[in-house]
Amino acid sequence: MCRLATDLCLSGFVANTPFGALIEAEGAADALEDFESRLQTELPAPGWIASIERWDLSPRGEGGFEILPSEARGETSALALPDLKVCPECLREVFDRADRRHRYPFANCTRCGPRYSILLRLPYDRANTTMARFPMCPDCRREYEDPADRRFHAQPIACPACGPRLRLLAPDGRLLAEAEDALRLAEEALLEGRIVALKGIGGFQLLVDATNDAAVRRLRERKAREHKPFAVLARDLETVGAWAFVSPEEAAAMESSAGPIVLVKRRDGAPLAPSVAPENPLLGVMLPTTPLHALLASDLGLPLVATSGNLSDEPICIGEDEALRRLGGVADLFLSHDRPIHRHVDDSVVRVASGRPMVLRRARGYAPAPVPVETADRPVLAYGAHLKSAVCLVVGDWAFLSQHVGDLETPEAVHALERVAGELPGLYGAAPAEVVRDLHPDYASSRLAEAQPVSCLRVQHHLAHVLALLAESSVAEPALGVAWDGTGLGPDGTVWGGEFLVVDGRVARRVACLRPFRLLGGDHAARDARRTLASLWWTARGLEEPLPAPLASVVSPSEVQAWRAAWAASVNTAVCTSAGRLFDAGAALCGLGWKNRYEGDLPMRLEHLSGGAAEDGPRLPLQDGRPMLVDWEPLLPLLLEEGLSPRERSARFHGSLARAVADVAGAIGLRTVALSGGCFQNGVLLERTAELLEARGFRPVWSQRVPPNDGGIALGQAIAAVRRVRLEV
Ligand SMILES: [Zn+2]
Ligand SMILES: [Zn+2]
Ligand SMILES: [Zn+2]
């Protein structure tokens, strides 16, 4: 910016203010025009311009262009930037023997390095980050002050002489080695199959040799994570290409400055331990995000499992003491350093669906980049739901969706949500005038929201899903929102999950849903697909009908008796319209087992079973009414059809459901159809639905920057409050 101004012979200054960058430029009128337009096109990555406001001032006749120190007064609303993956130039230096940053694990520049994870307060200046404790050496100072240098005003600038240092600790906290020695010892341990906890950008990760099955299994045991796939760190794109099929969009996502974990289809015979991602055709892969990761990956020449440094369901550890305490029984060694992480930021997860990247877990590299929204007349803070929780703050025209916190299954996770909810408004100097929660009173997020000293609005789960997507894609309304997921409490007290909502400004209406069924055992059914299938079966055929053979063979007569009794007496059988449960039953009848070993496990395996594409299946009838009902009954004979292979049954199952969405869209007749909720993480369902909608002249939109799952709920909740949306049932 400074260079551009100097090139155009402008005088003036730029200052990082609480409201964003303030530029005062003086010069010839056409040079000023030129400056404004080139500013928008030539700003080097990762810089970006959200908006420009412009005032005309009288000339002052000053000479030169300079950078002024930041002001810390007034309302703090400058934007916090996401953490960025190490850039190619920094990597080149780290691997250059002649460079002063040769093998330095903390090299960074204006285009890369930590940001949000080290930010204490705004504006973003070294003194306001955890780098404040490292005084710059003269060499770094010179780079920092040189407008022609790539490190000009790179706040976390560091080098071996003045910056953070590596250290290797034993699980009891003993210091074993420092700097390069620490790295070497950690690498030796990894080669021997040991587990190393590594302090990354936004928290500790657990690393282990991904080709060593015994070592990976040991990590699974110690972390209490039996089945959920692990992500793998690869040295470079070429290496990934040897294990997996990588499309250009997937490669672009991996190489982007966010540097997320990207889900790719693995090749047969990929040299990875079977326990990395058991029974899963997809592989989560990421490229080195810091020089430290690049050094490890390149020195070892091995793929490494790189998974969050936590026990199952707990948030990722950030502090050394905390890591030693919580991961002491998991990791054999701790490769740490002395740059504090101020807030936890997990690795993000992206998949490419229908040719576009879709963020499934939004954290490092994305959070807290804001989503522009309609203007809020007061700050609003939304607390999200229960799974994949995150909070969202709306101030003025911006929605700041926090980093992923996790499922609120443990006290640690609830505490982490509370901390993020307290901190995000503080960062922007905006005390919430209203908070928002899910309708479900028992979610920990609901209780936290209710405990706040301001009024608390309750927003229905699926309305929040749809509003989040409409905000993200800023499409015109009225629009038909489709929200399909596992569960969310409806205003009628039933469990929703297969919803069609028309949203028009301040009014939303439930126009259709899946045919309701009573679900045996309520929450238990989310794990046990036997109960779900019995529920669907008895709803469709009546209690007298014998259970279908595949189910009858896996339940004991006493269980069936207990279920029948509960069903007949309507005990613990909540009415639901959950699309997620339909996928569970579909997976079970395709022979994939009866248990969801983790959230979304059965539906994901059903998607993979289809071979990657939907096929035409039976049409699901629409029953007129308010709401209109989509009858899933024809899926049962399809799934029990012995003449079809499990793959064909799965492909047609997806095809039937996609066509049902298109049929409802046809009946409603609104052009824009927004596909949201966890079920639309399913690439096969999403692609076929979008294809059918487009073929019939509709305009489908789906989530890209904000997760379609409950990770995006808080954004929709906040919009509901800003706009005062009323849900009519
Ligand atoms: Zn860089
Ligand atoms: Zn230095
Ligand atoms: Zn949901």
Side-chain angles (χ1 to χ4, degrees):
M1 184 188 294
C2 206
R3 251 173 296 167
L4 179 61
T6 315
D7 287 351
L8 292 169
C9 302
L10 298 176
S11 62
F13 64 83
V14 54
N16 222 355
T17 78
F19 304 95
L22 176 66
I23 304 171
E24 209 176 287
E26 183 175 333
D30 52 351
L32 286 170
E33 289 295 343
D34 209 354
F35 180 66
E36 190 181 334
S37 68
R38 284 176 61 184
L39 201 54
Q40 301 186 56
T41 53
E42 294 178 17
L43 199 66
W48 51 281
I49 291 172
S51 68
I52 291 186
E53 276 180 83
R54 187 185 147 154
W55 298 272
D56 292 327
L57 307 169
S58 320
R60 280 203 274 198
E62 281 167 328
F65 201 88
E66 58 177 321
I67 294 182
L68 298 185
S70 299
E71 282 181 66
R73 284 178 284 123
E75 192 188 344
T76 311
S77 66
L79 307 178
L81 293 174
D83 302 291
L84 300 169
K85 173 165 133 279
V86 59
C87 75
E89 286 97 318
C90 285
L91 274 186
R92 199 160 46 241
E93 290 168 353
V94 168
F95 287 102
D96 175 2
R97 281 176 190 286
D99 195 275
R100 72 188 191 90
R101 289 189 178 83
H102 180 231
R103 294 190 66 79
Y104 183 56
F106 306 97
N108 65 76
C109 72
T110 46
R111 290 160 213 180
C112 74
R115 300 281 188 277
Y116 187 48
S117 61
I118 58 168
L119 183 67
L120 303 171
R121 67 195 80 84
L122 285 167
Y124 175 59
D125 255 346
R126 189 178 180 93
N128 291 337
T129 71
T130 63
M131 282 301 291
R133 61 158 72 180
F134 299 97
M136 275 181 232
C137 71
D139 287 338
C140 285
R141 165 75 52 197
R142 197 166 343 101
E143 292 167 338
Y144 183 86
E145 288 175 353
D146 177 2
D149 197 281
R150 199 175 88 248
R151 296 197 167 86
F152 182 51
H153 282 243
Q155 306 304 344
I157 188 173
C159 78
C162 67
R165 269 165 80 86
L166 281 183
R167 59 188 177 215
L168 188 71
L169 305 176
D172 61 7
R174 243 176 330 126
L175 179 69
L176 301 175
E178 285 187 290
E180 184 69 18
D181 291 343
L183 182 57
R184 290 288 182 209
L185 286 174
E187 289 176 352
E188 278 169 29
L190 286 167
L191 284 173
E192 287 162 10
R194 292 204 275 164
I195 299 167
V196 173
L198 174 92
K199 189 172 175 184
I201 282 203
F204 276 81
Q205 291 169 315
L206 291 163
L207 304 185
V208 77
D209 177 357
T211 65
N212 182 336
D213 199 50
V216 178
R217 272 191 314 210
R218 193 156 53 240
L219 176 58
R220 286 204 176 276
E221 255 161 57
R222 293 191 190 168
K223 200 174 138 77
R225 174 158 152 163
E226 267 181 85
H227 302 285
K228 220 170 164 180
F230 282 140
V232 176
L233 168 68
R235 184 169 58 179
D236 50 31
L237 208 49
E238 213 187 315
T239 320
V240 184
W243 319 326
F245 300 95
V246 183
S247 71
E249 293 83 11
E250 287 160 347
M254 248 179 256
E255 291 197 301
S256 70
S257 58
I261 294 167
V262 179
L263 303 182
V264 290
K265 191 165 183 292
R266 83 157 94 185
R267 289 181 193 276
D268 288 335
L272 295 168
S275 50
V276 168
E279 302 162 47
N280 199 322
L282 300 184
L283 202 58
V285 181
M286 82 181 125
L287 297 178
T289 49
T290 69
L292 180 55
H293 290 89
L295 288 165
L296 280 165
S298 142
D299 291 352
L300 293 169
L302 282 175
L304 293 170
V305 161
T307 186
S308 309
N310 56 8
L311 300 177
S312 271
D313 295 330
E314 291 183 359
I316 186 169
C317 298
I318 55 173
E320 213 167 65
D321 293 341
E322 181 197 10
L324 289 166
R325 195 173 67 244
R326 284 172 51 201
L327 303 177
V330 181
D332 299 306
L333 286 171
F334 290 75
L335 185 55
S336 186
H337 57 74
D338 54 354
R339 183 184 70 209
I341 298 173
H342 183 63
R343 62 175 66 71
H344 78 88
V345 191
D346 270 278
D347 293 319
S348 294
V349 179
V350 165
R351 91 175 281 186
V352 171
S354 241
R356 296 184 208 162
M358 171 191 275
V359 175
L360 301 182
R361 181 161 83 194
R362 190 175 173 281
R364 182 180 50 73
Y366 299 104
V371 178
V373 293
E374 52 218 283
T375 310
D377 56 10
R378 66 206 182 284
V380 169
L381 183 67
Y383 277 72
H386 176 71
L387 295 173
K388 300 178 169 67
S389 68
V391 304
C392 181
L393 172 74
V394 176
V395 198
D397 305 330
W398 298 107
F400 300 95
L401 182 60
S402 79
Q403 71 273 34
H404 163 89
V405 174
D407 302 346
L408 301 179
E409 299 280 351
T410 60
E412 286 81 3
V414 175
H415 182 65
L417 184 75
E418 191 174 12
R419 198 169 55 227
V420 173
E423 190 188 72
L424 195 62
L427 200 54
Y428 293 99
E434 182 174 19
V435 294
V436 195
R437 71 153 167 97
D438 193 275
L439 275 188
H440 202 303
D442 297 332
Y443 290 167
S445 56
S446 296
R447 289 195 292 266
L448 285 178
E450 288 289 351
Q452 301 309 306
V454 292
S455 67
C456 181
L457 182 74
R458 299 162 192 186
V459 174
Q460 202 281 325
H461 190 93
H462 301 92
L463 174 62
H465 270 306
V466 172
L467 289 174
L469 175 53
L470 293 177
E472 178 202 339
S473 43
S474 50
V475 287
E477 293 170 15
L480 173 64
V482 185
W484 281 12
D485 65 1
T487 112
L489 185 60
D492 55 0
T494 69
V495 177
W496 290 17
E499 311 309 313
F500 296 82
L501 308 173
V502 166
V503 176
D504 188 4
R506 295 175 59 172
V507 181
R509 208 153 34 86
R510 188 196 204 194
V511 290
C513 63
L514 291 178
R515 174 182 167 187
F517 56 101
R518 281 198 289 138
L519 192 57
L520 272 170
D523 285 348
H524 285 298
R527 276 179 298 269
D528 182 358
R530 299 176 314 157
R531 294 168 196 255
T532 304
L533 183 57
S535 307
L536 292 168
W537 190 257
W538 287 336
T539 301
R541 307 279 166 91
L543 195 53
E544 298 318 313
E545 184 85 0
L547 291 174
L551 177 57
S553 66
V554 292
V555 285
S556 66
S558 61
E559 264 176 316
V560 180
Q561 209 182 357
W563 290 357
R564 275 186 201 277
W567 185 270
S570 295
V571 173
N572 199 14
T573 53
V575 173
C576 87
T577 54
S578 168
R581 297 291 86 82
L582 281 186
F583 278 85
D584 291 347
L589 285 178
C590 288
L592 296 171
W594 299 92
K595 283 249 169 312
N596 263 321
R597 298 167 302 180
Y598 49 89
E599 197 227 345
D601 174 33
L602 285 172
M604 248 182 275
R605 285 191 285 152
L606 186 62
E607 176 192 352
H608 301 151
L609 181 66
S610 72
E615 289 169 11
D616 284 343
R619 179 160 239 147
L620 308 185
L622 302 187
Q623 261 170 48
D624 250 348
R626 305 186 69 178
M628 191 186 314
L629 300 182
V630 177
D631 191 357
W632 37 262
E633 200 279 336
L635 295 173
L636 294 175
L638 165 72
L639 292 165
L640 290 164
E641 172 66 61
E642 283 175 6
L644 294 174
S645 71
R647 189 204 61 77
E648 287 167 317
R649 278 180 259 158
S650 167
R652 292 185 193 187
F653 175 90
H654 284 88
S656 283
L657 287 169
R659 186 154 73 168
V661 174
D663 286 346
V664 172
I668 301 300
L670 293 172
R671 185 158 179 271
T672 301
V673 182
L675 307 171
S676 66
C679 292
F680 286 100
Q681 296 172 101
N682 178 324
V684 173
L685 177 69
L686 175 66
E687 275 166 33
R688 174 56 66 101
T689 308
E691 200 180 283
L692 291 176
L693 287 169
E694 267 161 14
R696 297 191 200 175
F698 295 101
R699 182 188 168 206
V701 293
W702 58 89
S703 309
Q704 290 175 58
R705 288 176 296 160
V706 173
N709 55 47
D710 288 1
I713 282 283
L715 171 62
Q717 290 176 337
I719 302 294
V722 168
R723 214 197 261 183
R724 298 248 156 258
V725 182
R726 197 173 70 247
L727 175 62
E728 293 174 355
V729 185

